[in-house]
Amino acid sequence: MKIIGLTGSIGMGKSTTAAMFRDAGIPVYDADAAVHAAYDVGGVAVAPVGEAFPGTVRDGRVDREALRNAVLGKPEAMAKLNSIVHPLIGRSRAEAFEAATASGADMIVLDVPLIYETGGEKNMDAVIVVSAPAEMQRARVLAREGMSPERLDAILAQQMPDAEKRKRADFVIDTSKGLEAARTQVTEVIAALRKPSP
């Protein structure tokens, strides 16, 4: 089974693209969704995160805004958070692999925002980068509730520049031309990944 990384900076259309792979019958493991579940009531990360970052747990769940404020722009705090969350998420990812293997899937897509930033590409058979022009990215993200230019800049500072991601990618899906164009690209990428190696 091939392991395919799907990544892209904030506002590039990664979640929508992941859904297109899912619609095509490819199992998709969504790292963000796994983190959300781990942070929710009864989630495996609630107690350890609350202990490491006092004041970030409210009503039995991790307050993502409070946690973001505790780690954004603070490399040591971010490293501490990652050391707590990554092993927990690793378990849910292993379960997704087992389910995909059991279903007879020939590939699984790992939807991970920070593949290159964490060196995760070394564990992938191929990496797909979802991309769009910078002005379109900014417009999409700033249209989100609670987003400000300052907060966007802080998030982008944590992410590898889009141009660098595109350069390293095995495939690039351009989401600037609409949903159908993106869906066509997804179909082409799946076909290319299924081609036997020479």
Side-chain angles (χ1 to χ4, degrees):
M1 185 173 67
K2 286 184 174 175
I3 301 168
I4 313 302
L6 180 72
T7 194
S9 300
I10 186 171
M12 292 300 196
K14 185 170 59 61
S15 298
T16 303
T17 304
M20 291 176 183
F21 277 95
R22 213 175 267 118
D23 292 346
I26 309 291
V28 175
Y29 173 76
D30 183 338
D32 273 349
V35 172
H36 274 279
Y39 285 174
D40 209 348
V41 175
V44 291
V46 176
V49 168
E51 203 174 298
F53 301 96
T56 59
V57 172
R58 296 199 177 99
D59 302 321
R61 62 169 55 88
V62 174
D63 181 325
R64 292 174 72 92
E65 190 62 33
L67 183 60
R68 196 175 286 118
N69 292 335
V71 301
L72 203 58
K74 300 169 188 163
E76 278 178 29
M78 196 66 163
K80 186 179 184 183
L81 177 63
N82 287 339
S83 74
I84 295 167
V85 176
H86 284 172
L88 299 174
I89 299 308
R91 271 176 237 151
S92 77
R93 187 161 69 177
E95 286 162 13
F97 274 87
E98 284 163 23
T101 303
S103 75
D106 60 350
M107 68 180 85
I108 183 170
V109 170
L110 301 187
D111 175 354
V112 183
L114 303 175
I115 287 179
Y116 290 120
E117 292 83 348
T118 58
E121 74 277 9
K122 294 190 279 293
N123 305 316
M124 312 285 171
D125 292 297
V127 176
I128 302 162
V129 168
V130 181
S131 184
E135 61 275 12
M136 185 177 277
Q137 176 192 28
R138 285 191 83 80
R140 286 173 178 171
V141 179
L142 291 174
R144 295 180 186 179
E145 198 178 325
M147 187 54 76
S148 66
E150 296 74 27
R151 185 158 154 210
L152 172 57
D153 290 340
I155 292 168
L156 289 174
Q158 307 266 324
Q159 300 183 341
M160 180 181 285
D162 179 55
E164 182 62 25
K165 284 181 181 161
R166 289 173 72 108
K167 209 187 298 175
R168 294 189 186 195
D170 296 291
F171 301 94
V172 175
I173 291 178
D174 179 354
T175 62
S176 68
K177 295 174 177 65
L179 292 176
E180 282 319 303
R183 198 177 296 279
T184 299
Q185 292 172 73
V186 166
T187 303
E188 288 166 356
V189 167
I190 292 169
L193 288 166
R194 285 192 167 139
K195 260 195 197 142
S197 302

